[in-house]
Amino acid sequence: MLPYLELQKDKEEEIDNQEEVEVPEIREMNYIDAKKALKEVGLEIETNIEVTENLKIEEIIIKEQTPKPGIKVNKGSKISVDIY
C-alpha cells in the first residue's frame, strides 16, 4: 500500500474515535455559568465581544448559542454565543 493511502486511513480512524457530547442549554445564563456548563462537558465558549470596564463579565447574559442545545458535537468544540 502506498504511504499516503495509509495516512488517510489513520486520519479516518482518528475522526471516528472522537468523543461526541451533547451541547447543553446555556441561553439566559450569565457568561461565567455558561462557560462552566460547557467546560463540564468538554466544550469551549466563543464570543466576539471583549470584556471591558463598561462590560463586566458577571453582567453578560447569553442571548443565543450555536449550535443549539441537544445537538451532538465533538468534544473540544467551540460554542458560539451572542450576548446582551
Side-chain angles (χ1 to χ4, degrees):
M1 182 178 279
L2 297 174
Y4 71 89
L5 292 176
E6 189 64 33
L7 179 63
Q8 183 63 30
K9 182 181 174 193
D10 289 343
K11 265 186 153 178
E12 287 175 12
E13 287 175 7
E14 271 183 42
I15 291 170
D16 290 342
N17 290 336
Q18 286 184 334
E19 183 181 349
E20 287 189 337
V21 295
E22 190 172 308
V23 176
E25 172 67 78
I26 59 170
R27 292 175 291 190
E28 301 303 321
M29 285 186 177
N30 69 44
Y31 184 89
I32 295 168
D33 291 342
K35 187 173 181 176
K36 183 178 177 185
L38 291 174
K39 187 176 182 180
E40 286 175 359
V41 296
L43 300 173
E44 297 178 37
I45 196 165
E46 178 177 68
T47 183
N48 59 356
I49 304 297
E50 290 185 35
V51 177
T52 65
E53 285 183 29
N54 296 335
L55 184 64
K56 295 182 172 53
I57 196 164
E58 58 274 359
E59 296 173 355
I60 297 172
I61 303 296
I62 307 302
K63 178 181 176 185
E64 195 55 66
Q65 68 182 80
T66 305
K68 300 287 187 219
I71 301 292
K72 292 197 182 257
V73 297
N74 290 333
K75 197 170 190 173
S77 296
K78 292 184 178 183
I79 306 305
S80 297
V81 297
D82 293 330
I83 62 172
Y84 62 90

